[in-house]
Amino acid sequence: MLLAVAAMLPWAAAQAEDRSPASVGSSNAAPLRPLRPVPVKTAPRWTLSAEVIALARSGTGNRPLVSLVPGDVYWFTQTGTNTSNYPGLEVLNSNQLGQRLAAGPRLSLSYRDPSGYGFELSYFNVVGLTASKAIGPTNPAQWLVMKAPGTFWQTQDFNYQSMVWQDDSRLHSMEANARLELAPRVTLLLGARWLQLRDQLQGTLDPADLGEPTWKYGGAIRLPDAVPLSNSSIVINPPFWTTIATNNLYGVQIGAKATLWEAGPWSLGGTIKAGVFNNRAEHVSLVSMQKQIFPAQTATNAAAFAGEGSLVAKYQLSEAIALKLGYEALWLNGIALAPGQIEMVNTTPSTVSAQGVNCRSSTLFQGLTFGVDYAF
């Protein structure tokens, strides 16, 4: 019996080989391979944004800078009417120094986890905000007068000059926010922020002096008589007044982002933020009296508020790249602006001292943004 079974084993193996997949059909058929799993696409988690931000500034304080006094009023007399105590007609206020658009970079990086949590980092600066206004010379000739607390008052040195005031500002912002998706189109923001606003106001006489104005020290004179001597050399004098106010705001903010509208590759989104800050404010003034510079400086801490809003239109070029154009507004309250510090300076004929920092001002930045998003 065992011999019969052993004799049948080779025949059974041959039959099994004939029924194997490789033996079905052509002898050259390739063996079947197992199916590979289809990869599942995942939404990008990181977004890098690079933009140009262009802002203008309005809200530059409310401080008289130039008044007009009739030119036949005497510069100085020991008794009677003189330029220093004549009230004059205000012709230039700091609120006329609104600053036009200036551009700077803005970079942002955000992360979104599928769970709905994430974070974002952002930085921008705008450093070229400038406004300038010149008053005079007038016809008929009138004194251009700037007064400050104490004994300080300034006029033109000669009747051909104008009084020029220039306001220069620079703005920096850095923030870090945690993100939470409350709904598919709404994201809550909570984070910390640093804002720095530096505002400089400077008064000068233009053009430069022709000779030293020695007539100022020689008694009574009217403006039509304030003329340089013939063949006088050019004398470059320092600005008669410079005030710099620097604000460093450190605080926390809360906000929200929302997609307001979508149609194909187009979308419109909005962002709003509000925060409370500690403002470390510093005030420096440089005052020229008889062509010598007298400095004064002081600092303080004050509460401040910042509110920001934006609208951004996007066009999705591809799954990873989107172009965007937007409107931006940033309002700061409880800050120190340079014009507001003039009232905080006390002058005598030989000293200048700062009596504190005026942090009761507010200002508005607004403008346009343009850039690109890259998601990966």
Side-chain angles (χ1 to χ4, degrees):
M1 184 65 179
L2 291 175
L3 292 175
V5 172
M8 292 179 64
L9 286 175
W11 178 84
Q15 293 298 316
E17 184 177 354
D18 291 341
R19 291 193 297 270
S20 67
S23 65
V24 178
S26 171
S27 60
N28 295 326
L32 295 177
R33 298 181 180 178
L35 295 176
R36 295 181 179 177
V38 178
V40 178
K41 286 188 176 181
T42 59
R45 296 193 176 191
W46 295 90
T47 301
L48 178 64
S49 177
E51 298 173 87
V52 174
I53 179 169
L55 298 177
R57 183 168 80 98
S58 56
T60 53
N62 183 16
R63 211 285 169 182
L65 298 178
V66 183
S67 297
L68 292 181
V69 173
D72 57 359
V73 172
Y74 287 114
W75 155 263
F76 179 80
T77 57
Q78 296 299 326
T79 61
T81 303
N82 61 73
T83 308
S84 64
N85 62 27
Y86 198 94
L89 173 67
E90 180 183 323
V91 291
L92 179 62
N93 192 288
S94 61
N95 58 25
Q96 299 173 247
L97 298 176
Q99 297 167 336
R100 297 182 179 180
L101 286 174
R106 179 160 68 180
L107 297 175
S108 303
L109 178 66
S110 63
Y111 172 79
R112 175 192 175 277
D113 190 81
S115 64
Y117 291 94
F119 67 88
E120 64 181 27
L121 306 172
S122 179
Y123 170 79
F124 75 83
N125 71 65
V126 178
V127 299
L129 292 155
T130 302
S132 182
K133 185 78 171 178
I135 302 296
T138 63
N139 187 17
Q142 298 187 78
W143 293 105
L144 310 172
V145 181
M146 180 265 180
K147 299 180 183 180
T151 61
F152 182 89
W153 57 291
Q154 176 73 42
T155 70
Q156 65 269 65
D157 285 343
F158 296 103
N159 60 11
Y160 62 85
Q161 291 176 316
S162 62
M163 186 173 287
V164 182
W165 284 93
Q166 180 168 309
D167 195 352
D168 297 297
S169 301
R170 55 183 61 187
L171 175 68
H172 295 264
S173 171
M174 182 181 295
E175 59 185 300
N177 297 300
R179 299 163 51 106
L180 173 62
E181 289 189 3
L182 298 179
R185 292 190 175 191
V186 180
T187 300
L188 181 68
L189 304 174
L190 176 63
R193 189 169 191 176
W194 165 73
L195 288 156
Q196 183 187 76
L197 173 61
R198 182 182 185 272
D199 187 33
Q200 175 178 297
L201 180 70
Q202 190 169 82
T204 58
L205 299 178
D206 184 66
D209 285 1
L210 294 177
E212 292 287 351
T214 54
W215 60 265
K216 283 189 172 183
Y217 318 116
I221 194 169
R222 300 176 308 151
L223 182 58
D225 304 322
V227 295
L229 300 175
S230 59
N231 300 321
S232 297
S233 60
I234 294 177
V235 179
I236 305 299
N237 294 313
F240 61 83
W241 192 282
T242 302
T243 290
I244 304 169
T246 303
N247 303 266
N248 281 286
L249 281 66
Y250 305 91
V252 294
Q253 63 181 6
I254 188 171
K257 288 186 175 182
T259 301
L260 306 176
W261 172 79
E262 282 184 320
W266 296 93
S267 65
L268 178 66
T271 301
I272 187 169
K273 303 173 191 173
V276 291
F277 297 82
N278 175 64
N279 180 13
R280 180 61 179 175
E282 182 181 49
H283 156 215
V284 177
S285 286
L286 305 172
V287 181
S288 173
M289 295 189 298
Q290 298 185 13
K291 314 309 177 187
Q292 294 184 356
I293 299 295
F294 292 80
Q297 181 176 0
T298 188
T300 191
N301 290 287
F305 171 84
E308 183 178 7
S310 65
L311 286 174
V312 179
K314 285 188 180 182
Y315 180 77
Q316 202 73 33
L317 289 176
S318 66
E319 184 180 353
I321 299 176
L323 298 178
K324 57 184 183 178
L325 176 67
Y327 166 79
E328 187 90 13
L330 174 65
W331 182 56
L332 303 178
N333 184 51
I335 58 171
L337 297 180
Q341 310 315 309
I342 296 177
E343 296 301 325
M344 307 304 294
V345 176
N346 187 58
T347 62
T348 71
S350 60
T351 64
V352 175
S353 59
Q355 305 300 305
V357 183
N358 178 355
C359 294
R360 299 186 300 273
S361 298
S362 61
T363 193
L364 174 66
F365 296 89
Q366 58 181 332
L368 301 175
T369 63
F370 174 75
V372 59
D373 282 350
Y374 174 67
F376 58 98

